[in-house]
Amino acid sequence: MPRLLFLALLRPLAMIPTFGRVLTEAPDTRLWVVYLVTLDPGPMWFVEALLVMSLVYVPVRGVRERRAVVGATPPVTAEDGPLRRFVPAMVFTVGSALVTIVWRWAFPAPYRPVVGLSRP
């Protein structure tokens, strides 16, 4: 909701200088086209990133809960020791590093707004 309010109310006000410059250079240009072409989350990039992460989390959580219902209480094994979380933590760390490398390769240092996630 905050993102929609920003896009509907605050961003058009913040773009008044841009609209003025565009209308000076090309008076026949429609302002709504300029608004859509320059679509940038601005200060709401973090809200946009949280929305994307939430949309990814919901199906993952649903799959995990379905698996938890199928398998009742597992028996206690040697894997319940102090290192039981080491492998998942390492998989997450390596996976995050690989995703970051691929993301930076696809969207290098100069900022290009892609769901607000390519900010340094």
Side-chain angles (χ1 to χ4, degrees):
M1 188 63 157
R3 171 103 165 102
L4 291 176
L5 288 174
F6 173 77
L7 287 175
L9 301 175
L10 297 177
R11 188 162 178 269
L13 292 174
M15 289 195 63
I16 288 174
T18 303
F19 291 151
R21 189 174 57 248
V22 168
L23 288 177
T24 303
E25 295 171 3
D28 295 334
T29 305
R30 302 276 186 219
L31 293 181
W32 64 270
V33 172
V34 174
Y35 186 79
L36 290 178
V37 169
T38 60
L39 193 59
D40 181 18
M44 298 301 284
W45 70 268
F46 188 72
V47 172
E48 187 176 48
L50 286 176
L51 178 63
V52 169
M53 290 178 205
S54 296
L55 292 174
V56 169
Y57 174 76
V58 168
V60 169
R61 182 66 182 199
V63 168
R64 290 191 71 202
E65 284 189 9
R66 271 187 257 131
R67 268 197 278 160
V69 169
V70 171
T73 56
V76 176
T77 63
E79 293 178 4
D80 292 337
L83 295 177
R84 70 178 183 179
R85 296 185 193 263
F86 178 75
V87 172
M90 288 307 296
V91 168
F92 177 77
T93 303
V94 171
S96 296
L98 291 175
V99 167
T100 302
I101 290 168
V102 170
W103 188 264
R104 285 297 171 196
W105 176 77
F107 305 104
Y111 173 67
R112 292 184 185 101
V114 178
V115 197
L117 295 176
S118 66
R119 295 225 181 225

